[in-house]
Amino acid sequence: MDGPAGKKRKTVAHGRHLPEWERQTGEYAGWIKASLKGQRYSFCVPCGMSIEVSASGFCDLSKHFETKGHQDAVSRMKSYAVTKAEVLFCQFVAEHNLPATIADHFSELTKEMFPDSEIASVLSVRKGAGFSDQHFNLNKEEADEDGDEDGDDTASLRWKVHAAKMPDEALRVCLKELKRLKKMSQSMPEYARTRNYLDLMIELPWSNNTKDSLDIQAARTLLDNDHYAMEKLKRRVLEYLAVRQLKDSLKDPILCFVGPPGVGKTSVGRSIAKCLRREFHCIALAGVCDQSDIRGHRRTYVGSMPGRIINGLKTVAVNNPVFLLDEVDKLGMSWQGDPAAALLEVLDPEQNHSFTDHYLNVTFDLSQVLFIATANTTATIPTALLDRMEVVWVPGYTQEEKLEISNRHLIPHQLEHHGLSPQQLRIPPKTTNDIINRYTREAGVRSLERNIGAVCRAVAVKIAEVKAASPKLAMPIVIKNRDLKDILGIPFCDREVSERLTLPGVALGLVWTYLGGEILFVEASRTEGEVTGGSDPMEGTDIHLHFPTGAVTKNGPSAGVTIVTCLASLFSGRLVRSDVAMTGEITLRGSVLPVGCIKDKVLAAHRAGVKRVILPRRNEKDLDELPLKVRYDLDFVTADDLDQVLNAAFDGGFPGKEKKQEAKQQIKQ
Ligand code: ADP
């Protein structure tokens, strides 16, 4: 019954556990008992049970299943909950080249019963004396050579490889590697490398997936509950989900959400995964400048690893997750290759069903993965990559939207995060407005959230301190505007527009940076310059034009009208109206050309307290996108040429060409 003398047996004598085993197995106990007659092969189940089977007993059992019919056997086995022992049999069959029919039958049964192969990881086969039995075609030397631990290792690995449901190509590679592994000593560095490789291959979700749930109504509710405003983006996401519901095989365009930081791009990505009931994984691409980061290193390199895509799949353990490629506009490039080029393959529906990671060196089907990208600007996304994606613009928020977002989402979320309740802390809308106006200047709501977090922390300290001293503290603690200075410090962005426009030669422009819309003070000064003796009217005059935060890239042409207004102010010595901001490109003949990102720019002007905005006439249509409140608060002047711009920018207008000529004529007369 026991193994040969000298062999260490960790297994528990099976007889002791038999009654319990019988109770569990019910009908199959008979076969199992029969199989115990030979008592030569010992299998250890971690729960402490040990059974031993002979080859003939084993065959009896399998024949029984065969005669009963496959499905029937599966359901019976499931209902009797006797799976562990059967799984061991399957493992044994797969491991020891039993006749193909039996092996197939059992491995199929096992795969159906344990799709997640969890059992494979908790069971181990202990080899007893019986391995020399020729019935199993197992060579005695080989068995002895393996030794106990080593044998366990490769045996369970082989089982796991079979259970991983990988495609034939990958299976072939794994079995080959397994063969090599068997011949290696554990002390060889190559052993660890091969072992790691096999572990990864086993862990990859070759055929594990989640079932999509596509209820558009539920998706709409979920998106609305999670996010305030952003109607355009939510509509596009719902369209996307609806089309997926109608047509499964659609080669989807890859959505790329472009907008300033903190406007909820990542958060919407997460909600899409939630709507579809898929796993979500975020791959941060900022600063990635090596294509191996995407596609992995070849295994010949020391310290080689798979790329982020394969690593992500391993983490989520399903082959149809939602992958958020965060910050695709910040991909770098170096001598180690262009990661954007590697991403092209990943995102191309024609190619990504056979994505090859250098580390794996076999293809992995990425066609079920749903990719979404986010970026702050399209300017730095490589053109070929941009071409694969559909850009959805996510603009910044208005003051009112920010207030609503903080009341509905940010404050409750931060309260919960800091272990506080609404009964303990109340931040009234007036205070939130003050935080928005004086402590943040951003298109999104990230600093706002951080500041609310700071308020919560301050209150948490107060509550904890008072608790320690005496239990009395008036609840809820209401944060007033005047408390903010103590908690958040001195406000850093008090309104300064009117203060800065007090000298000639300053004009307020509107620009778009990757952080969203911004106001920009363009300043000009005149200094004495070189005299060359020519007929230039500017002879002897140098102009210094100053653009603040020059290091931040801005979209250039739209500063045209601002520069001209600034120069007009400098030369005429007149002040530009202190409540006017402008944007627009200008030609040498003085025509005003349309520019982009009007919504973001106007929102920035509104944030800064500007009252009048001068825009190119051809941008008039963009005003429809603005929230009503903003349209109501601001006075929009649309201009075709420079005269109209200057007339709107200066109090009392600015004399144009005709007026100047009239004035000259009058002087002559
Ligand atoms: P992004 O990816 O655009 O930089 P995030 O998705 O990380 O921004 O959003 C930052 C925070 O702001 C998150 O906590 C998010 O839930 C919140 N947020 C942004 N926009 C909204 C919104 N419209 N409604 C609710 N919360 C929002």
Side-chain angles (χ1 to χ4, degrees):
M1 181 184 289
D2 282 337
K7 280 258 178 193
K8 219 165 88 194
R9 300 287 304 271
K10 290 187 192 156
T11 49
V12 189
H14 66 273
R16 266 205 340 256
H17 296 273
L18 212 49
E20 166 66 8
W21 181 238
E22 256 184 68
R23 200 176 55 72
Q24 278 186 19
T25 54
E27 185 187 332
Y28 291 117
W31 272 273
I32 291 168
K33 260 198 218 160
S35 74
L36 286 171
K37 274 183 205 146
Q39 300 165 354
R40 271 176 298 167
Y41 307 100
S42 164
F43 297 84
C44 171
V45 188
C47 63
M49 193 161 16
S50 160
I51 54 163
E52 297 191 349
V53 292
S54 70
S56 58
F58 181 73
C59 289
D60 282 349
L61 187 64
S62 71
K63 264 187 210 128
H64 171 72
F65 288 134
E66 268 171 358
T67 51
K68 285 248 172 183
H70 182 84
Q71 277 313 319
D72 183 44
V74 175
S75 61
R76 270 158 185 273
M77 286 169 85
K78 274 187 181 166
S79 66
Y80 281 115
V82 292
T83 45
K84 282 186 180 166
E86 273 86 349
V87 169
L88 282 174
F89 298 155
C90 305
Q91 187 173 353
F92 197 74
V93 172
E95 183 60 27
H96 297 108
N97 299 330
L98 284 189
T101 47
I102 301 176
D104 284 349
H105 181 61
F106 270 98
S107 75
E108 250 184 272
L109 280 178
T110 324
K111 279 182 201 169
E112 273 188 52
M113 283 189 297
F114 305 104
D116 54 3
S117 77
E118 161 224 345
I119 294 298
S121 64
V122 295
L123 298 179
S124 66
V125 180
R126 298 246 158 243
K127 287 178 187 168
F131 279 126
S132 57
D133 194 320
Q134 288 308 308
H135 187 91
F136 289 107
N137 299 332
L138 196 80
N139 180 327
K140 184 171 178 13
E141 276 120 58
E142 199 180 324
D144 286 344
E145 228 174 57
D146 278 345
D148 263 337
E149 290 304 316
D150 214 9
D152 285 355
D153 207 30
T154 40
S156 69
L157 264 181
R158 183 185 289 269
W159 164 246
K160 288 177 190 173
V161 164
H162 280 289
K165 295 188 194 167
M166 53 182 83
D168 289 347
E169 182 203 357
L171 185 64
R172 254 198 315 277
V173 172
C174 280
L175 292 177
K176 206 167 129 202
E177 291 294 323
L178 206 67
K179 230 179 199 169
R180 285 183 55 223
L181 190 75
K182 256 185 167 174
K183 293 189 186 125
M184 277 181 221
S185 144
Q186 285 201 16
S187 56
M188 283 166 73
E190 180 67 16
Y191 182 91
R193 239 178 282 160
T194 311
R195 180 72 221 236
N196 287 345
Y197 175 76
L198 285 169
D199 281 343
L200 174 70
M201 292 290 273
I202 289 164
E203 273 182 69
L204 281 180
W206 298 98
S207 40
N208 280 3
N209 53 21
T210 47
K211 208 168 165 341
D212 277 0
S213 127
L214 277 168
D215 177 352
I216 290 298
Q217 207 46 48
R220 191 191 299 271
T221 318
L222 199 139
L223 277 175
D224 282 341
N225 285 348
D226 284 358
H227 301 95
Y228 180 75
M230 42 172 46
E231 299 307 331
K232 213 166 151 188
L233 176 63
K234 283 196 265 191
R235 193 170 355 119
R236 182 64 191 93
V237 167
L238 283 176
E239 283 167 14
Y240 185 78
L241 296 178
V243 174
R244 281 191 77 90
Q245 188 178 22
L246 297 179
K247 196 160 190 293
D248 213 18
S249 62
L250 181 84
K251 296 249 186 282
D252 304 306
I254 283 132
L255 294 183
C256 178
F257 303 150
V258 181
V263 289
K265 302 182 295 292
T266 316
S267 173
V268 169
R270 196 168 277 122
S271 291
I272 293 179
K274 237 198 262 171
C275 291
L276 290 168
R277 301 233 181 99
R278 286 194 181 198
E279 293 292 329
F280 176 81
H281 186 72
C282 180
I283 300 181
L285 293 175
V288 168
C289 57
D290 179 354
Q291 69 150 327
S292 316
D293 250 326
I294 308 292
R295 213 182 257 156
H297 299 263
R298 292 200 186 282
R299 271 202 297 143
T300 42
Y301 294 114
V302 176
S304 55
M305 291 183 301
R308 289 176 189 227
I309 304 285
I310 292 296
N311 253 336
L313 286 166
K314 184 180 131 189
T315 311
V316 294
V318 285
N319 64 11
N320 63 342
V322 173
F323 266 177
L324 187 93
L325 304 172
D326 210 8
E327 322 259 24
V328 271
D329 56 328
K330 296 187 188 60
L331 276 175
M333 205 158 97
S334 68
W335 55 270
Q336 281 153 324
D338 181 2
L343 268 187
L344 281 181
E345 186 192 346
V346 173
L347 297 183
D348 188 348
E350 303 297 333
Q351 294 182 42
N352 71 5
H353 55 83
S354 57
F355 170 71
T356 308
D357 183 282
H358 286 160
Y359 182 82
L360 289 194
N361 213 14
V362 289
T363 58
F364 194 98
D365 182 3
L366 296 180
S367 58
Q368 299 304 311
V369 180
L370 198 158
F371 289 102
I372 298 172
T374 76
N376 292 139
T377 169
T378 50
T380 47
I381 303 179
T383 336
L385 200 55
L386 191 58
D387 196 45
R388 298 264 192 288
M389 303 192 282
E390 178 187 328
V391 171
V392 184
W393 293 95
V394 194
Y397 297 116
T398 61
Q399 176 100 3
E400 290 68 31
E401 285 170 343
K402 285 184 188 177
L403 185 64
E404 233 10 84
I405 293 173
S406 56
N407 284 343
R408 292 178 189 214
H409 300 280
L410 307 183
I411 296 179
H413 181 241
Q414 286 299 319
L415 283 180
E416 193 193 328
H417 189 72
H418 290 90
L420 295 167
S421 69
Q423 284 73 39
Q424 290 173 307
L425 167 64
R426 208 167 81 74
I427 307 179
K430 257 189 175 174
T431 314
T432 317
N433 251 330
D434 217 28
I435 301 179
I436 296 169
N437 282 331
R438 303 174 69 209
Y439 289 90
T440 64
R441 183 186 280 164
E442 55 172 357
V445 291
R446 196 165 284 148
S447 322
L448 176 60
E449 190 171 24
R450 253 199 308 273
N451 280 316
I452 294 173
V455 171
C456 292
R457 279 196 299 278
V459 171
V461 171
K462 207 165 169 184
I463 292 178
E465 270 175 1
V466 172
K467 239 186 200 166
S470 77
K472 287 243 159 22
L473 184 68
M475 294 282 180
I477 298 176
V478 181
I479 304 292
K480 306 253 170 53
N481 289 14
R482 61 171 182 274
D483 302 327
L484 290 180
K485 202 168 162 197
D486 284 342
I487 301 171
L488 303 177
I490 299 165
F492 72 91
C493 44
D494 271 332
R495 294 200 172 158
E496 52 179 355
V497 175
S498 52
E499 282 161 34
R500 290 200 45 188
L501 289 167
T502 51
L503 284 173
V506 189
L508 185 60
L510 295 174
V511 290
W512 188 87
T513 72
Y514 66 91
L515 300 172
E518 285 270 3
I519 56 167
L520 178 90
F521 289 95
V522 180
E523 296 183 23
S525 71
R526 184 164 38 172
T527 52
E528 280 204 5
E530 214 182 319
V531 181
T532 54
S535 57
D536 188 349
M538 298 282 285
E539 179 85 3
T541 309
D542 268 358
I543 305 290
H544 180 127
L545 262 181
H546 175 69
F547 288 86
T549 45
V552 180
T553 330
K554 307 159 182 89
N555 63 350
S558 65
V561 293
T562 323
I563 296 171
V564 176
T565 311
C566 176
L567 291 175
S569 160
L570 180 73
F571 287 112
S572 67
R574 295 180 59 191
L575 285 181
V576 178
R577 274 179 59 154
S578 62
D579 58 353
V580 170
M582 60 200 80
T583 183
E585 185 176 346
I586 199 147
T587 68
L588 278 180
R589 302 272 171 271
S591 311
V592 177
L593 301 182
V595 290
C597 307
I598 291 294
K599 184 172 181 189
D600 279 312
K601 289 175 180 173
V602 172
L603 290 182
H606 188 247
R607 275 202 295 277
V610 165
K611 292 279 171 292
R612 175 180 282 185
V613 176
I614 306 173
L615 303 165
R617 184 167 322 271
R618 276 158 66 190
N619 279 122
E620 207 168 351
K621 58 180 185 328
D622 298 313
L623 298 181
D624 291 344
E625 284 188 18
L626 292 172
L628 273 182
K629 168 94 171 80
V630 176
R631 273 156 73 181
Y632 181 76
D633 283 351
L634 294 177
D635 168 25
F636 293 100
V637 177
T638 51
D640 282 318
D641 60 29
L642 185 59
D643 282 344
Q644 291 165 347
V645 172
L646 294 180
N647 273 329
F650 290 91
D651 262 333
F654 200 82
K657 266 184 262 163
E658 299 84 21
K659 277 193 185 160
K660 269 189 219 153
Q661 271 163 6
E662 264 173 41
K664 271 186 195 165
Q665 295 239 321
Q666 277 172 6
I667 292 167
K668 272 185 196 167
Q669 282 163 11

